[in-house]
Amino acid sequence: MRASGKLLAMGAALVAAAAIRRAFTLPQRALPDPAPAPDVSQTTLARMTRPSVDAHPGLSGVYLLADGPEAFATRMSLARQAEKTLDLQYYIWRGDRTGTMLLEEVLDAADRGVRVRLLLDDNGIDGLDQVLFALDRHPRVEVRLFNPFPVRWPKVLGYVFDFPRLNRRMHNKSFTVDGQATVIGGRNIGDEYFGVADGPLFADLDVLAIGPVVDEVATQFEAYWNAASSFPARLLLRRVGPRNLRRLRKRSSIVERDPTARRYLKAVRDLEIVRQLAEARLPMEWAKVSLLHDDPGKALGYLKRAEGSDARLSGLLENAIGTPKRELAIIAGYFVPGKRGVANLRALRARGVEVSILTNAYEATDVGAVHAGYAPYRRQLLRAGIRLFEMCDGARQAPSRRERRKGSRLGVSGRLRGSGSGSASALRAGASTLHAKTFAVDRQRLFVGSFNFDPRSIDLNTEMGIVIESPLLAGLVADAFDDVVPENAYEVALSEHRGLIWKRPDLSAPLRREPGMGLRDRLAIGILKRLDIEWLL
């Protein structure tokens, strides 16, 4: 009996193990036959943009979107302009006010006959499974999930059984309409990115672009859409009926009746950019623009750092921007340079290159672990002569009188200046967390994208962004470190005793303790600093 009992127990354990393995195994990936690509050459958007594009051969038109409501309005306006195709690619899409309103625009576009393709990283769609499955049932909509979790709830279990794969995410962000216009940059889809959240708001930066770079974005989208990590949503999501589409429309109507959402929508409708887009008179900077992106195979661990610059964005960036000769200005919400990054920045400084960095102060960050990865490198950067700024919690600091005066002076050309200041200009709206990822080189080239200056962006996540060869825009970002940034951020420096101090124009004396950090915070960050987690950040 004992032997038979052991055999039964062993058999039960094997059966349970096999069941668990099946539960955490991805379904067989079956893709539908691709339909012919729609002809987008005669759409209204094509006719609107063609004269300007033809007048600037080889160049792309770009307009920087630093203001959250303006960034949302641009997406809504473009979605309403769509006649043939709508290709959307995002790391996070929330089911909140702005996320719901944009999903309804997507559904309306499909109802008009627009082919909609929605590619979402599966880590950033909490609570949307039923809505996305219902959308996928629409004959003009196809939803695919990148690097999906086989078990839908709780998703965290997937990390237990398949951590090496699921720890790699698609961080790319693009919104492309009729193959004629695209929005790319740092923003995900959610209230905090568009200035409507009840909690912290993100200072962020996107680029609206037309011209040749749109074709490059479309090619990038196709590569990810057909990548081995992209799975049709219907293979993974729980089947639901068409009533969920009706619920989406009902949910949107509820959102629009919400007082906060109603005020936000009115402000969006009043924005000049909506009319400028509709009337094809948006002032754009025309420049040579290049798209850089990781090969989607990076999400499967196929690409290693040593494999060269043709498949990884970090290597492509080094080739595209060259070696800074005079000036490097970095704005990064998540800045974890690591030993290699610090060595590179110190080498630049040793050659006489002026280096300025803006990242989040502890009181402004939304990820404490990232601060623990960044903080140990501050003294090394400062000793090398690098200027280091940490963004204040915007909810605690109102714009200065000088900033209000400066903002009121901005005209049409100033719109470029306000946007050019990038995430720093967004502080005027009371943003509390820096989320933008941009840097300017020698006042000649500007990078805007999803790439964070951290090990995760370099080695784990897939990323994308553009290099804009524009002295105007690059110079404006560099200039922000002389005017906008010092008035909205702490300047970190070394005291006479080589300790850290935090300075700000409105403070009577420098702070000698880290702003916003209490005893429990210091203990938690101290523990995280001692753990080997930098490679995860």
Side-chain angles (χ1 to χ4, degrees):
M1 289 293 292
R2 284 182 186 173
S4 60
K6 288 181 179 179
L7 287 173
L8 284 172
M10 185 179 299
L14 290 173
V15 170
I20 291 173
R21 189 163 53 250
R22 283 196 301 273
F24 287 92
T25 299
L26 287 169
Q28 184 175 357
R29 182 172 171 271
L31 299 180
D33 293 333
D39 179 11
V40 296
S41 63
Q42 299 304 315
T43 62
T44 299
L45 203 53
R47 294 195 300 271
M48 286 168 53
T49 58
R50 188 175 295 125
S52 295
V53 172
D54 290 346
H56 300 86
L59 305 181
S60 296
V62 295
Y63 182 88
L64 303 190
L65 298 165
D67 179 69
E70 190 174 70
F72 178 76
T74 300
R75 288 168 170 82
M76 291 283 281
S77 182
L78 286 174
R80 289 170 181 171
Q81 290 278 352
E83 295 174 2
K84 293 292 186 178
T85 64
L86 193 53
D87 291 334
L88 314 179
Q89 177 182 16
Y90 281 96
Y91 171 59
I92 291 174
W93 194 302
R94 302 208 189 282
D96 52 18
R97 299 178 184 105
T98 53
T100 298
M101 287 186 281
L102 275 169
L103 279 180
E104 190 188 38
E105 286 300 326
V106 166
L107 182 55
D108 286 347
D111 288 344
R112 297 195 305 270
V114 176
R115 184 198 69 181
V116 175
R117 295 188 295 178
L118 191 57
L119 177 59
L120 302 173
D121 185 273
D122 197 25
N123 194 52
I125 56 170
D126 289 347
L128 286 181
D129 276 18
Q130 291 190 8
V131 168
L132 293 175
F133 186 89
L135 275 173
D136 192 61
R137 287 173 58 95
H138 193 290
R140 301 295 296 170
V141 179
E142 187 175 355
V143 181
R144 292 188 185 178
L145 304 181
F146 195 88
N147 213 10
F149 293 75
V151 173
R152 305 310 298 167
W153 190 90
K155 279 186 175 180
V156 69
L157 288 178
Y159 287 110
V160 176
F161 292 93
D162 198 2
F163 182 80
R165 177 180 68 85
L166 293 174
N167 188 41
R168 297 175 177 273
R169 308 311 318 172
M170 181 190 74
H171 200 233
N172 310 38
K173 304 161 180 70
S174 67
F175 193 110
T176 306
V177 182
D178 286 345
Q180 307 299 320
T182 188
V183 178
I184 61 178
R187 283 186 179 88
N188 295 297
I189 304 299
D191 289 355
E192 64 267 40
Y193 303 97
F194 298 122
V196 73
D198 299 320
L201 303 178
F202 287 154
D204 222 322
L205 185 62
D206 289 323
V207 177
L208 168 63
I210 61 176
V213 73
V214 181
D215 292 335
E216 297 180 38
V217 175
T219 300
Q220 179 269 165
F221 182 90
E222 293 292 340
Y224 277 80
W225 183 253
N226 295 303
S229 295
S230 295
F231 282 71
R234 63 179 178 277
L235 299 179
L236 296 140
L237 303 185
R238 186 167 65 86
R239 296 183 179 276
V240 295
R243 67 182 182 277
N244 283 81
L245 287 181
R246 294 193 293 271
R247 287 178 181 171
L248 173 60
R249 296 185 187 280
K250 182 179 179 182
R251 165 65 180 154
S252 184
S253 66
I254 292 171
V255 165
E256 292 188 17
R257 289 199 301 271
D258 176 84
T260 301
R262 195 165 58 246
R263 288 193 299 271
Y264 180 78
L265 282 174
K266 182 182 184 304
V268 163
R269 284 193 293 268
D270 290 342
L271 285 172
E272 178 68 12
I273 193 170
V274 176
R275 291 186 291 274
Q276 290 175 324
L277 277 172
E279 297 169 10
R281 57 184 180 85
L282 189 67
M284 287 190 155
E285 172 76 349
W286 290 89
K288 182 179 178 182
V289 180
S290 303
L291 176 74
L292 310 177
H293 65 87
D294 281 308
D295 186 292
K298 183 182 178 184
L300 295 173
Y302 293 159
L303 309 177
K304 304 299 182 184
R305 182 177 294 189
E307 287 187 20
S309 61
D310 58 343
R312 293 169 58 94
L313 185 143
S314 53
L316 292 167
L317 262 178
E318 292 178 9
N319 291 335
I321 67 171
T323 301
K325 295 178 174 60
R326 299 181 303 278
E327 189 174 350
L328 175 63
I330 298 172
I331 297 176
Y334 308 107
F335 181 71
V336 184
K339 294 179 180 178
R340 181 186 180 195
V342 170
N344 289 339
L345 292 171
R346 290 174 68 179
L348 288 176
R349 190 70 193 94
R351 293 199 296 270
V353 176
E354 294 292 331
V355 180
S356 302
I357 299 167
L358 171 65
T359 189
N360 278 309
Y362 177 76
E363 69 177 22
T365 188
D366 64 322
V367 184
V370 169
H371 189 80
Y374 146 74
Y377 296 107
R378 289 184 291 200
R379 282 184 174 83
Q380 297 176 53
L381 295 170
L382 293 170
R383 287 171 188 155
I386 292 168
R387 299 173 71 199
L388 184 59
F389 295 88
E390 294 180 353
M391 179 172 163
C392 308
D393 183 345
R396 301 185 188 186
Q397 173 162 334
S400 68
R401 185 177 301 133
R402 177 183 170 190
E403 275 301 297
R404 289 194 294 270
R405 288 199 308 268
K406 184 175 179 180
S408 68
R409 292 199 305 266
L410 300 180
V412 172
S413 62
R415 296 292 297 176
L416 280 174
R417 178 171 293 278
S419 295
S421 297
S423 46
S425 70
L427 301 181
R428 291 195 275 274
S432 57
T433 298
L434 182 65
H435 192 260
K437 313 97 172 45
T438 184
F439 64 88
V441 177
D442 292 338
R443 296 177 175 264
Q444 297 294 315
R445 298 176 296 283
L446 177 69
F447 172 83
V448 180
S450 68
F451 181 84
N452 288 306
F453 292 78
D454 59 17
R456 173 164 288 278
S457 284
I458 294 171
D459 295 320
L460 296 174
N461 291 348
T462 68
E463 308 285 356
M464 67 181 292
I466 57 174
V467 174
I468 307 168
E469 297 188 20
S470 166
L472 170 65
L473 299 183
L476 292 173
V477 171
D479 286 342
F481 281 90
D482 294 323
D483 44 45
V484 180
V485 170
E487 295 193 0
N488 294 278
Y490 301 103
E491 181 171 6
V492 187
L494 294 173
S495 70
E496 64 276 14
H497 303 297
R498 312 301 284 175
L500 295 180
I501 57 174
W502 288 261
K503 302 185 294 183
R504 209 172 63 193
D506 63 329
L507 296 175
S508 57
L511 302 176
R512 295 182 179 271
R513 285 195 174 184
E514 187 140 3
M517 186 176 285
L519 177 59
R520 280 190 295 183
D521 300 308
R522 286 196 293 273
L523 288 173
I525 294 299
I527 292 170
L528 288 172
K529 285 180 182 178
R530 286 165 174 76
L531 298 177
D532 183 22
I533 62 169
E534 186 175 299
W535 64 281
L536 289 169
L537 302 176

